[in-house]
Amino acid sequence: MSGDEVNPAAEAQPVEDVQGDGRWLSQHTRFVQECKDAEPDVLFIGDSMVQLMQQHEVWREVFSPLHALNFGIAGDTTCNVLWRLQNGELENIRPKVVVLWVGTNNHEHTAEQVAGGILAIAQMLTTRLPKAKIVVLSLLPRGERPNLLREKNATVNGLVRSWLPRLRQALFLDVSREFVHSDGAISPQDMFDYLHLTAAGYRTISKPLSDLLLQILEETPEERRASLV
């Protein structure tokens, strides 16, 4: 996108309460309260891919012991995550690592806009948390067979991978490669609805992610400062 264009995927917006039960804002309010009570080393933030991780053993076995908070809300777009971060979800906490996983719900935006929205969140995180590392996870393929949304997500991943080095604190981790078989199909054993991960699917992404998180968390303060220069 040119510097003169306004990217709609990078504009902070709350979710409209069309159902009338206030659930989204209630979740956000709970996260803001958790910031006052917790001292996380790792913050996960994003959409249902983050939220549902907490329902599986892999969260309790692998990620919770890292002093992790889960700020995932199903259905969120880059716009919604930006709004949440601007409205209290980074107050009073200083995580050493932030894991960002969002973008697959940005159906109204082009791949370039989605990638720009992800980059905008990463930029905000580096500004607000100058001592933290930001780990951006790739969007996953979706749908049982090859389709346009898969192609879009792959394009987003390519753009984010190429743009992210602008931010010295940010890293891109591709967790998308293990899910498409040689015939182009995705197995329901990995994604029960060809979008959301099963327990086995979360196991698949947990190994490279936990390895990276442990590597970052085990750095000495001097090593961490050196890597940010």
Side-chain angles (χ1 to χ4, degrees):
M1 298 182 66
S2 73
D4 296 332
E5 294 180 32
V6 175
N7 180 2
E11 293 186 334
Q13 291 181 348
V15 168
E16 184 181 355
D17 185 24
V18 294
Q19 296 172 331
D21 58 9
R23 284 182 299 118
W24 185 85
L25 191 59
S26 295
Q27 291 176 89
H28 164 67
T29 302
R30 173 164 56 86
F31 294 157
V32 173
Q33 183 60 45
E34 285 189 54
C35 290
K36 299 176 182 178
D37 302 329
E39 295 181 3
D41 286 332
V42 183
L43 173 65
F44 284 75
I45 188 156
D47 53 31
S48 60
M49 306 307 294
V50 171
Q51 184 181 42
L52 293 176
M53 188 185 297
Q54 204 166 8
Q55 307 304 314
H56 294 279
E57 281 297 320
V58 70
W59 179 265
R60 291 181 285 278
E61 292 176 6
V62 178
F63 298 114
S64 185
L66 301 180
H67 304 287
L69 277 183
N70 187 310
F71 285 0
I73 300 183
D76 264 15
T77 66
T78 54
C79 305
N80 308 140
V81 168
L82 269 172
W83 189 91
R84 292 200 275 133
L85 293 177
Q86 290 177 6
N87 287 273
E89 290 189 19
L90 292 178
E91 298 297 328
N92 305 307
I93 56 173
R94 291 295 177 265
K96 296 173 182 175
V97 192
V98 180
V99 179
L100 174 64
W101 205 5
V102 71
T104 198
N105 294 319
N106 284 68
H107 304 301
E108 298 179 359
H109 305 129
T110 67
E112 190 175 25
Q113 289 170 340
V114 178
I118 294 170
L119 188 67
I121 298 171
Q123 287 175 320
M124 180 187 178
L125 288 167
T126 60
T127 299
R128 295 285 299 274
L129 301 170
K131 295 183 179 180
K133 290 285 185 69
I134 315 302
V135 176
V136 178
L137 298 186
S138 61
L139 303 187
L140 296 182
R142 50 187 294 164
E144 182 182 11
R145 299 285 173 181
N147 60 78
L148 291 177
L149 281 178
R150 261 201 220 178
E151 294 176 15
K152 176 183 174 181
N153 282 4
T155 301
V156 171
N157 289 339
L159 291 169
V160 173
R161 183 194 297 274
S162 66
W163 292 349
L164 210 58
R166 303 175 190 175
L167 306 176
R168 69 181 189 274
Q169 293 165 244
L171 305 166
F172 180 75
L173 181 62
D174 192 343
V175 292
S176 68
R177 299 176 180 176
E178 302 297 324
F179 298 104
V180 178
H181 297 182
S182 58
D183 62 354
I186 287 175
S187 169
Q189 294 180 335
D190 293 321
M191 297 182 185
F192 61 87
D193 59 355
Y194 307 108
L195 171 63
H196 297 99
L197 294 173
T198 61
Y202 276 114
R203 287 283 178 196
T204 298
I205 66 111
S206 70
K207 181 64 167 66
L209 177 55
S210 63
D211 286 350
L212 178 58
L213 293 179
L214 286 170
Q215 177 186 329
I216 294 171
L217 292 171
E218 289 172 359
E219 289 179 346
T220 66
E222 291 76 16
E223 289 172 332
R224 193 173 300 116
R225 280 196 294 271
S227 69
L228 295 178
V229 172

